[in-house]
Amino acid sequence: MEGGGMLGAFAWLLLFQFAGELVVRGTQLPVPGPVMGMVLLLVALMLRGSAPVNLRATAEGLIQHLMLLVLPSTAGLVLQLDRLTQEWLPLTAAVVGGAVLTIAATALTLRAVLSCPGKPIR
Amino acid sequence: MMPALRELWVPMSCPLIIWLLATLIVYQGARLLYGWSGLHPFANPVLTSVTVIIGLLLITDTRYETYFDQVKVLHLLLGPATVALAIPLYGQLRRLRRMLVPLGLAAIVGSATAIVSAVGIGWLLGASPELLLALAPKSTTMPVAIGIAQQTGGLASLTALTVTLTGISGAIMGGAVLSLMRIRDAVVRGFVFGTAAHAIGTAQAFREGEATGAFAALGMGFTGVATALLVPVLVLLLRVQSWTFAAH
């Protein structure tokens, strides 16, 4: 994986995304291809024992601007403005209330399980 | 200057990159604003950028399809960027190995809470059946949520709406709720951001640090799988129940 600079690193990312898509198609697992690609790359890095410098730099650049990359799909909200005004109350209440409850439940569970000294964590 | 500028806005003569350029400028402005505000949650760059972009689309009477076509390159980069999340995760490998089971448990509880609370609140407030089906998978990333919705008979467009709103609201409120709960652990904070607010929450978590972001990426992945397994079960249960009611 070493060498090739940013373009080489980018090609590796695309290759793992492609491999992820193939695995998802083959196994019918309910995960998007890129997420599977992330898992495959993690396994590859574990086998390799370190992350190449150029890959680290490219990844950092992409991750730093994750918010920019979600803008095209997020702007699709414009297509749903009618629905938003029609059902705004159940929609916002469910989304906002659901988010608060999900945050609280996840945080409490994780904190409780992590700070449980009796059980061996593994 | 002005007449030339006006000419740019005539749809047919519109250069193909004008919306890409506009999106980059708006995003840079949103980041500056976020910095000036002292990283205030309501100045979340996704929220401010999207508000401005939607405003521009409405003012210039531009179709979303036209817009998306021009900024598709950013959307395509989301794939490799997701794969790249493996690198910060790899940096957290030692902690990750130790915590795999607790993280899995938290993802199951979080996903179940997300599904039941959203569908429950929506149902209590009289949401339409289509909206209920779109609310169920809302905590996962867009492709997973749309996949689940199609499986259960929901609408893809409506699901896109609930997913987007969930990401934005989770990213905005996550920090405040977690601080209120006095949770400072980067692992817990990150994982919660990923579980409750998928990619937008993960982006927000990386603002708090690399470890927080890495565990957000993990939460996002776990939640996708857990939700995909849980939603069809819930929909089936509800259908069975409504059949029994109808039979009586």
Side-chain angles (χ1 to χ4, degrees):
Chain A
M1 284 187 202
E2 211 78 60
M6 195 189 92
L7 262 169
F10 197 74
W12 277 108
L13 293 176
L14 282 176
L15 187 73
F16 274 93
Q17 183 184 349
F18 182 65
E21 306 274 7
L22 285 183
V23 170
V24 168
R25 292 232 174 130
T27 55
Q28 301 286 328
L29 277 170
V31 220
V35 172
M36 180 56 74
M38 170 178 93
V39 175
L40 293 178
L41 180 56
L42 181 63
V43 173
L45 293 176
M46 284 164 68
L47 292 176
R48 189 180 184 273
S50 70
V53 180
N54 62 337
L55 195 59
R56 273 210 300 258
T58 306
E60 201 173 301
L62 278 170
I63 291 167
Q64 208 185 349
H65 294 293
L66 216 46
M67 289 195 179
L68 173 66
L69 306 185
V70 301
L71 290 184
S73 53
T74 311
L77 270 181
V78 73
L79 297 175
Q80 300 292 335
L81 292 179
D82 282 347
R83 194 58 98 143
L84 203 63
T85 44
Q86 261 170 35
E87 294 202 74
W88 68 272
L89 180 64
L91 183 60
T92 35
V95 165
V96 174
V100 173
L101 289 173
T102 307
I103 292 164
T106 314
L108 288 177
T109 310
L110 191 53
R111 191 168 60 175
V113 188
L114 284 179
S115 63
C116 183
K119 286 181 196 157
I121 297 169
R122 217 155 211 282
Chain B
M1 173 84 190
M2 273 320 280
L5 200 66
R6 202 165 301 142
E7 222 132 84
L8 276 179
W9 292 113
V10 176
M12 287 315 287
S13 64
C14 201
L16 281 171
I17 52 143
I18 192 78
W19 282 108
L20 181 59
L21 184 63
T23 303
L24 288 170
I25 293 171
V26 168
Y27 172 69
Q28 285 301 341
R31 271 166 53 96
L32 282 177
L33 185 74
Y34 190 49
W36 287 334
S37 75
L39 309 189
H40 193 279
F42 279 100
N44 177 288
V46 177
L47 180 66
T48 47
S49 303
V50 163
T51 310
V52 174
I53 291 168
I54 288 183
L56 288 175
L57 290 176
L58 292 176
I59 291 169
T60 59
D61 203 17
T62 307
R63 292 173 64 226
Y64 174 65
E65 288 77 6
T66 313
Y67 171 77
F68 189 81
D69 231 33
Q70 291 188 23
V71 295
K72 207 188 248 162
V73 60
L74 298 176
H75 181 70
L76 291 176
L77 283 174
L78 201 51
T82 307
V83 177
L85 291 172
I87 285 109
L89 264 182
Y90 178 71
Q92 302 295 323
L93 198 60
R94 279 176 55 203
R95 280 205 266 184
L96 172 63
R97 275 198 175 129
R98 224 163 2 105
M99 295 174 176
L100 215 48
V101 173
L103 293 175
L105 263 175
I108 293 171
V109 173
S111 307
T113 311
I115 301 164
V116 173
S117 62
V119 174
I121 294 171
W123 181 75
L124 283 175
L125 293 174
S128 60
E130 301 98 74
L131 183 56
L132 290 180
L133 282 174
L135 280 170
K138 71 178 183 63
S139 283
T140 66
T141 51
M142 195 77 82
V144 183
I146 289 176
I148 299 171
Q150 279 165 347
Q151 208 186 332
T152 57
L155 299 171
S157 59
L158 197 51
T159 309
L161 173 68
T162 61
V163 170
T164 306
L165 291 179
T166 299
I168 292 176
S169 58
I172 289 175
M173 295 184 306
V177 176
L178 288 168
S179 299
L180 212 67
M181 293 172 73
R182 290 169 197 283
I183 289 171
R184 290 187 195 90
D185 186 6
V187 173
V188 180
R189 288 183 74 94
F191 199 78
V192 167
F193 267 117
T195 302
H198 52 84
I200 302 179
T202 302
Q204 178 76 31
F206 269 105
R207 295 268 173 267
E208 292 194 5
E210 177 151 313
T212 317
F215 279 90
L218 203 63
M220 179 173 78
F222 274 40
T223 303
V225 178
T227 308
L229 298 173
L230 289 170
V231 170
V233 177
L234 177 87
V235 171
L236 199 68
L237 283 177
L238 289 175
R239 291 236 166 100
V240 169
Q241 205 191 13
S242 58
W243 284 333
T244 14
F245 273 123
H248 281 292

